[in-house]
Amino acid sequence: MRVFKFGGASVKDAEGVKNVVKVLKEVGHDNTMLVISAMGKTTNAMEEVVDAYFDNKSEIVHKIDAVVEYHNSILKELFPNPQHQVYKEVKTLIEEVKGFLAWNKSPKYNFVYDQVVGYGELLSTAIVSAYLEEVGIRNQWLDVRGFIKTDSSYRDTTVLWEKTQEHISKIDRSVLNITQGFLGSDENNFTTTLGREGSDYTAAILAYCLNADSVTIWKDVPGVLNADPRYFKETQLLNNISYREAIELAF
Ligand code: ASP
Ligand code: MG
């Protein structure tokens, strides 16, 4: 069993999603669990939706539209047929967020935040899963909230390991599974989040509970470079580094 995690930067556009397919075709996808983050900067965009809900309700529609437009532009490139089922799925998810914001009575920021922001991951996994099917890679979309159980300290939850282990051990490993990073759910099944940048942690939780052989965090760079390519021009790929150097760089 292997766990592969693709972050937001790796699925920030249609090309990124196509690259996920390329990776899976190249390295194979038997006994694999995919963990995907929200596309690009969607989590930030969803945070803006939450802020609008608390500070300036008239901005909500505009903020949600921005999220919709961004995902639609990716969808159009991946699925030229506007009748494709995925368009309905995405629409349903957006209706759900809007419905939550319309009916919610809780004044608690952190609670509302977790119910809303998690749609970034639900959208990205719905799209990637549909695209994998489209190119002939059979896969099973899993709602991670049914597996990772947490306490109710919204935005900064603690994993309830026993329950989580129990649920995860029921996952069918014979298929390629695809699920969301960052999310969990509490005892009342409300969505919880594991903290910003939490998807790597999700991959680790799943790997631990599945007793996986490896976790791979796929990045949008060709390998480990000698500097951050966002800040330096002529960065070089390091073909070998020692564990000590790797630890030092990570630190
Ligand atoms: N989408 C979440 C975030 O942007 C989790 C993650 O990407 O790791 O923080
Ligand atoms: Mg990250």
Side-chain angles (χ1 to χ4, degrees):
M1 191 73 201
R2 302 179 300 184
V3 178
F4 286 176
K5 181 256 177 177
F6 290 90
S10 298
V11 290
K12 70 175 192 296
D13 48 24
E15 200 189 319
V17 177
K18 288 179 183 169
N19 193 52
V20 172
V21 172
K22 214 171 120 194
V23 167
L24 293 178
K25 285 195 170 155
E26 212 161 295
V27 302
H29 43 79
D30 289 342
N31 304 99
T32 303
M33 164 77 82
L34 290 182
V35 176
I36 316 263
S37 301
M39 293 173 150
K41 300 264 176 263
T42 301
T43 305
N44 295 0
M46 295 306 284
E47 285 182 344
E48 287 185 29
V49 173
V50 177
D51 289 341
Y53 178 78
F54 283 103
D55 302 333
N56 187 359
K57 286 215 163 42
S58 65
E59 277 288 295
I60 295 178
V61 177
H62 171 67
K63 296 289 183 193
I64 293 181
D65 281 351
V67 173
V68 173
E69 267 168 44
Y70 168 61
H71 287 86
N72 273 342
S73 70
I74 295 173
L75 280 174
K76 274 187 205 145
E77 254 187 78
L78 295 175
F79 306 93
N81 173 9
Q83 304 304 326
H84 195 286
Q85 177 67 18
V86 70
Y87 286 94
K88 270 189 218 131
E89 284 171 32
V90 165
K91 213 172 150 201
T92 303
L93 289 169
I94 297 296
E95 292 305 317
E96 270 179 41
V97 193
K98 288 184 179 165
F100 170 79
L101 292 171
W103 295 107
N104 172 62
K105 296 279 184 281
S106 170
K108 297 204 168 101
Y109 183 92
N110 291 349
F111 169 78
V112 172
Y113 179 102
D114 278 4
Q115 307 322 301
V116 172
V117 166
Y119 277 91
E121 269 72 13
L122 293 168
L123 286 166
S124 70
T125 51
I127 294 170
V128 175
S129 170
Y131 188 68
L132 292 178
E133 287 288 337
E134 191 71 3
V135 299
I137 302 180
R138 272 270 325 115
N139 67 93
Q140 173 71 42
W141 180 92
L142 297 178
D143 187 334
V144 80
R145 296 170 297 181
F147 299 97
I148 297 183
K149 298 304 287 185
T150 70
D151 66 10
S152 299
S153 31
Y154 300 106
R155 290 187 73 189
D156 183 27
T157 43
T158 301
V159 173
L160 304 176
W161 288 101
E162 266 175 41
K163 283 193 185 124
T164 298
Q165 175 73 72
E166 191 187 313
H167 290 296
I168 291 179
S169 55
K170 289 182 195 138
I171 292 176
D172 176 3
R173 296 148 186 250
S174 67
V175 291
L176 169 65
N177 286 296
I178 166 167
T179 199
Q180 307 76 39
F182 186 44
L183 311 181
S185 73
D186 67 8
E187 64 174 344
N188 293 312
N189 295 324
F190 283 114
T191 306
T192 56
T193 62
L194 303 169
R196 288 301 307 265
E197 301 294 326
S199 294
D200 291 4
Y201 183 38
T202 304
I205 296 168
L206 288 164
Y208 175 75
C209 294
L210 289 164
N211 200 15
D213 298 315
S214 64
V215 180
T216 308
I217 314 276
W218 291 92
K219 307 295 285 184
D220 59 339
V221 285
V224 179
L225 304 173
N226 63 347
D228 187 333
R230 285 173 299 184
Y231 302 108
F232 295 93
K233 270 180 196 159
E234 289 157 33
T235 50
Q236 285 172 6
L237 184 63
L238 304 175
N239 290 312
N240 287 295
I241 57 170
S242 67
Y243 277 107
R244 273 187 62 183
E245 279 175 306
I247 290 166
E248 189 64 28
L249 286 172
F251 183 73

